[in-house]
Amino acid sequence: MEKGGDFAMELKGVILSTMARGPRNFSRDVLVKVDGFDDVSSASKLIGRSVTWTSKKGLEVRGRVIRVHGRNGVVVVRFNKPLPGQALSTNVLIS
């Protein structure tokens, strides 16, 4: 996946779940597992990259990778608008 320090232009990821803090659920912040990124050091290179989720109807919601979550290459993405529940376990593009 890595080639001379640069990553591919577009990467694919899967939305795992939304972030929950206490009794509240924040549907703008979601956990995303990126294909080919299995540790913290490689996932930390994605911080700041833009993410796009596209619905089946063509609606696009954009966001940004804000931090790494855990040790297995999962990142936290904050979207500009809250995602619907249908977005769980769907694909996103990271560019």
Side-chain angles (χ1 to χ4, degrees), residues 13-87:
V14 177
I15 297 177
L16 300 177
S17 68
T18 59
M19 293 287 290
R21 295 178 198 112
R24 298 178 62 193
N25 188 359
F26 296 88
S27 57
R28 281 183 55 200
D29 298 348
V30 297
L31 300 176
V32 174
K33 175 66 178 159
V34 183
D35 296 339
F37 290 82
D38 297 327
D39 58 354
V40 177
S41 62
S42 62
S44 65
K45 295 176 184 178
L46 296 174
I47 295 174
R49 295 189 71 170
S50 63
V51 180
T52 304
W53 174 78
T54 306
S55 70
K56 291 181 181 179
K57 293 184 177 180
L59 171 73
E60 287 189 351
V61 181
R62 297 185 186 273
R64 217 165 261 293
V65 177
I66 57 171
R67 65 185 174 95
V68 177
H69 180 81
R71 297 182 186 178
N72 294 325
V74 176
V75 294
V76 178
V77 176
R78 179 167 291 155
F79 286 96
N80 297 335
K81 295 181 179 181
L83 293 180
Q86 292 87 351

